[in-house]
Amino acid sequence: SNNNIKSFEYESNDDILLIVNKTYLEAYKHFIYNYYYGILRTVEILYRIIDIELPKLLLFNTDEAIIGKLAALIGQEKNIPVVNMDHALQYDSPRISDLLFTKMAVSGLYNKELFIKNNAKEKQIEITGMPIHDKIYRRLNKPNNASYLNELDLDQKIPTILLLTHPYTRTGPNRVREQILKSVFDSVKSLLNANLIIKLHPNETDGLVQNAVNNSKLKNVKIIKKVENLYDVMKFSDMVITSFNSTTAIEAVFFSKPVLILNFTGKTNSLNCASEGVAIEVTEPKKVYGFIKNILSNKKLLSELRNNRPKFIERYAYKLDGKSTIRMSDLIEGLIRKE
């Protein structure tokens, strides 16, 4: 808007500022023109596809992205049912949704309550569980992947700690990430006998973790990158450590693992794992070792975490029974039959 443009204009005779302002204005106009043109082209393409294919239903993971919003609006215009589904453990779904769907398939009661709180209608929300959770259910009902354990070449007689790292901390560039790594490395050294497996986030490509491991001189530590191995290591780990706001903490709870959340950001965590008693959250690096040692040895603490899981799982994952995909399919087929 013009207001946005004016906010970048400065009253100055400085030649550099004049050049910056002029360049910014030209770039801003160029961006807006291309963005607007891109939306027009997308609408034309979507209209053409829908006119040719004559779909009976439109299915999206969310209406977060522009293409999802546009297709949903076209679907409404043409009276085509639109179904959205949680595409991750999306605790903040209403923040990015315009509620353009006929039905929203959510993972559990918690997300349903969030959508209704954010003006969705009761009839729009369907609790199905998430299809991705079916994979967790299947993994839970299989023995540990022995071949992969052997491939990691770790001592299977001592506790295994799984650290799930993340490239985004929403504070300083790398300060929090470095604090997390140092506090965990120091704790593992103090434990003397423990394996550490570090699962990198797919977007974590800057080499910070690998360099930190190389400098740590830890022996029983492995770094894994493949997403498809996550549930294998999560299942046989004795505890899971996650960073601030990482939804992998919820997945770890589904695997009945004690979870330690390291929140060194100074911010309030949006996830409810700690407040609902299924995880422990630490805000000071110096306290990490004590909590890790406690989780690995305190039977009373482990029992408390275990007792709080069933209610939590029901709220966030419905039944976790391996049938979320079936419920999702039934929802889609039911809407198509109504047409």
Side-chain angles (χ1 to χ4, degrees), residues 176-206:
V176 172
R177 295 171 66 199
E178 291 168 350
Q179 285 182 322
I180 288 172
L181 293 171
K182 185 179 186 306
S183 64
V184 173
F185 291 171
D186 290 347
S187 298
V188 172
K189 288 177 184 177
S190 298
L191 288 170
L192 298 179
N193 289 313
N195 298 316
L196 176 63
I197 299 175
I198 303 174
K199 169 63 182 70
L200 297 181
H201 188 279
N203 293 334
E204 206 164 11
T205 58
D206 60 0

Side-chain angles (χ1 to χ4, degrees), residues 23-289:
T23 303
Y24 170 78
L25 290 171
E26 290 176 352
Y28 183 83
K29 291 174 183 176
H30 181 73
F31 171 78
I32 292 298
Y33 172 80
N34 282 284
Y35 192 71
Y36 184 72
Y37 177 76
I39 291 176
L40 286 175
R41 288 292 297 144
T42 302
V43 170
E44 290 176 350
I45 291 169
L46 288 171
Y47 262 112
R48 185 65 175 156
I49 291 173
I50 291 172
D51 286 342
I52 292 173
E53 299 295 336
L54 300 175
K56 294 182 179 180
L57 181 140
L58 301 177
L59 175 65
F60 304 99
N61 53 12
T62 69
D63 55 16
E64 170 185 4
I66 286 295
I67 190 169
K69 295 182 190 297
L70 295 174
L73 289 168
I74 294 171
Q76 288 181 348
E77 180 185 320
K78 293 180 172 290
N79 294 316
I80 302 172
V82 176
V83 176
N84 281 6
M85 58 186 291
D86 282 345
H87 69 291
L89 292 167
Q90 199 171 298
Y91 62 92
D92 58 351
S93 297
R95 176 179 62 83
I96 58 175
S97 173
D98 287 336
L99 310 178
L100 300 173
F101 42 78
T102 310
K103 284 282 189 179
M104 177 76 198
V106 298
S107 56
L109 182 61
Y110 179 75
N111 262 15
K112 178 177 180 178
E113 291 171 350
L114 275 178
F115 273 106
I116 292 175
K117 183 179 178 180
N118 285 268
N119 300 318
K121 297 176 182 177
E122 176 92 22
K123 65 180 182 180
Q124 283 183 288
I125 311 301
E126 188 84 17
I127 299 177
T128 60
M130 286 175 55
I132 193 174
H133 292 165
D134 291 349
K135 186 177 179 181
I136 294 178
Y137 173 82
R138 290 192 295 271
R139 195 68 200 82
L140 283 168
N141 287 278
K142 291 181 180 179
N144 285 334
N145 188 337
S147 61
Y148 186 63
L149 278 169
N150 293 332
E151 184 181 325
L152 289 173
D153 193 28
L154 292 171
D155 186 348
Q156 298 180 32
K157 297 179 181 179
I158 60 177
T160 295
I161 299 169
L162 173 61
L163 171 62
L164 302 168
T165 56
H166 200 287
Y168 309 121
T169 59
R170 302 180 186 180
T171 54
N174 290 319
R175 179 181 62 83
V176 172
R177 295 171 66 199
E178 291 168 350
Q179 285 182 322
I180 288 172
L181 293 171
K182 185 179 186 306
S183 64
V184 173
F185 291 171
D186 290 347
S187 298
V188 172
K189 288 177 184 177
S190 298
L191 288 170
L192 298 179
N193 289 313
N195 298 316
L196 176 63
I197 299 175
I198 303 174
K199 169 63 182 70
L200 297 181
H201 188 279
N203 293 334
E204 206 164 11
T205 58
D206 60 0
L208 185 146
V209 175
Q210 184 66 65
N211 291 335
V213 169
N214 293 341
N215 295 329
S216 72
K217 298 181 181 180
L218 284 170
K219 294 182 179 179
N220 295 331
V221 57
K222 298 291 181 181
I223 296 177
I224 63 173
K225 299 179 180 180
K226 294 181 178 179
V227 174
E228 54 265 32
N229 295 134
L230 173 59
Y231 290 165
D232 285 323
V233 294
M234 197 172 278
K235 187 173 189 294
F236 67 68
S237 295
D238 293 281
M239 69 172 292
V240 177
I241 301 175
T242 70
S243 58
F244 167 74
N245 228 17
S246 174
T247 53
T248 52
I250 299 177
E251 291 179 291
V253 173
F254 293 166
F255 274 93
S256 297
K257 300 299 175 181
V259 179
L260 185 66
I261 300 172
L262 306 187
N263 181 7
F264 304 152
T265 65
K267 300 178 184 295
T268 301
N269 199 336
S270 300
L271 294 179
N272 296 331
C273 295
S275 62
E276 295 193 24
V278 294
I280 296 171
E281 186 165 329
V282 186
T283 57
E284 298 178 51
K286 64 182 180 181
K287 294 184 178 181
V288 171
Y289 170 67

